[in-house]
């Protein structure tokens, strides 16, 4: 029997394939060109400014209205089946992303995940930033809250931003195209079906 009790998943590029959350919202509100430029930003300062600009675009809309636009996002193959298997096995599921928390929470509710975290949009229209290194910090806190050891954590991601989370987990799966050399022990399952990953996760003791 598997010792995994908590499974953490990145969202964009991992559970979602093709268009990501910010790109989908941007397309629906007429900001696709700007979003394409934002996707190329790499520095923390540039990304902070990009998020602040996106928030300005969103202010005329309610979160509920923005969430309506996400209905045409494309799930990776096997997500629904994989999550059903995890739930049947009593494994808690966390969606851990640097994208907008309101969108991650919506997706978590759609998929039946137990936890969701991302970049927060506060009531006073300021941001609560969430960065790649925060993924590992959040999961460490969640493990403590659930009274679980690090060996109980599995994680799935697709990009350099997932390295801290994947290195923390005892069992890690990288579904991106090229495996980053900074990953300590992640298995490379490029473009994998999520149910197949879950089956492997649950099969090994």
């Amino acid at each position: 029997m598997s010792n995994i009790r908590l499974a953490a998943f990145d969202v964009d590029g991992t559970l979602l394939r093709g268009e990501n959350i910010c790109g989908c919202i941007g397309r629906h509100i007429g900001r696709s060109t700007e979003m394409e430029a934002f996707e190329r930003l790499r520095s923390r300062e540039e990304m902070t400014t990009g998020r602040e600009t996106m928030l300005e675009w969103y202010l005329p809309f309610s979160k509920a209205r923005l969430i309506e636009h996400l209905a045409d996002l494309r799930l990776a193959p096997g997500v629904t089946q994989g999550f059903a298997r995890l739930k049947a096995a009593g494994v808690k599921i966390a969606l851990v992303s640097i994208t907008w928390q309101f969108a991650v929470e919506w997706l978590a509710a759609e998929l039946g995940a137990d936890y969701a975290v991302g970049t927060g949009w506060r009531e006073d229209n300021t941001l609560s930033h969430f960065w790649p290194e925060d993924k590992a910090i959040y999961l460490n806190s969640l493990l403590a809250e659930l009274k679980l050891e690090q060996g109980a954590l599995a994680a799935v991601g697709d990009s350099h931003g997932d390295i801290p989370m994947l290195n923390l987990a005892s069992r890690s799966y990288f579904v991106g195209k090229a495996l980053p050399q900074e990953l300590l022990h992640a298995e490379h399952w490029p473009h994998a079906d999520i149910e197949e990953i879950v089956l492997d996760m649950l099969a090994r003791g």
Side-chain angles (χ1 to χ4, degrees), residues 39-86:
E39 293 292 344
R40 294 190 288 272
L41 301 180
R42 289 295 175 263
S43 78
R44 187 65 50 91
E45 185 178 0
E46 288 175 330
M47 291 177 70
T48 298
T49 301
R51 287 174 174 180
E52 290 168 350
T53 302
M54 274 188 271
L55 185 57
E56 289 176 10
W57 300 343
Y58 296 172
L59 289 179
F61 309 95
S62 67
K63 288 177 186 174
R65 181 69 181 130
L66 295 173
I67 285 168
E68 286 176 10
H69 298 319
L70 301 178
D72 53 356
L73 286 170
R74 182 164 58 89
L75 286 175
V79 172
T80 304
Q81 300 91 327
F83 277 30
R85 289 185 183 276
L86 287 170

Side-chain angles (χ1 to χ4, degrees), residues 5 88 115 143 145 150 159:
R5 312 291 350 129
Y115 306 97
L143 286 169
E145 179 185 321
Q150 194 172 330
S159 71

Side-chain angles (χ1 to χ4, degrees), residues 127-145:
L127 293 174
S128 172
H129 289 283
F130 194 81
W131 301 109
E133 63 271 20
D134 294 321
K135 293 187 174 192
I137 295 168
Y138 170 79
L139 288 169
N140 258 325
S141 297
L142 190 52
L143 286 169
E145 179 185 321

Side-chain angles (χ1 to χ4, degrees), residues 2 4-5 11-13 20 33 65 75 85-86 90 100 109 119-120 126 130 140-141 169 176 180 195 200 202:
S2 173
I4 298 301
R5 312 291 350 129
V11 175
D12 290 329
N20 64 25
T33 302
R65 181 69 181 130
L75 286 175
R85 289 185 183 276
L86 287 170
W100 299 106
T119 292
T126 59
F130 194 81
N140 258 325
S141 297
E195 185 181 19
D200 185 79
L202 295 176

Side-chain angles (χ1 to χ4, degrees), residues 6 27 76 94 141 199:
L6 174 63
R27 174 169 57 83
S141 297
L199 286 170

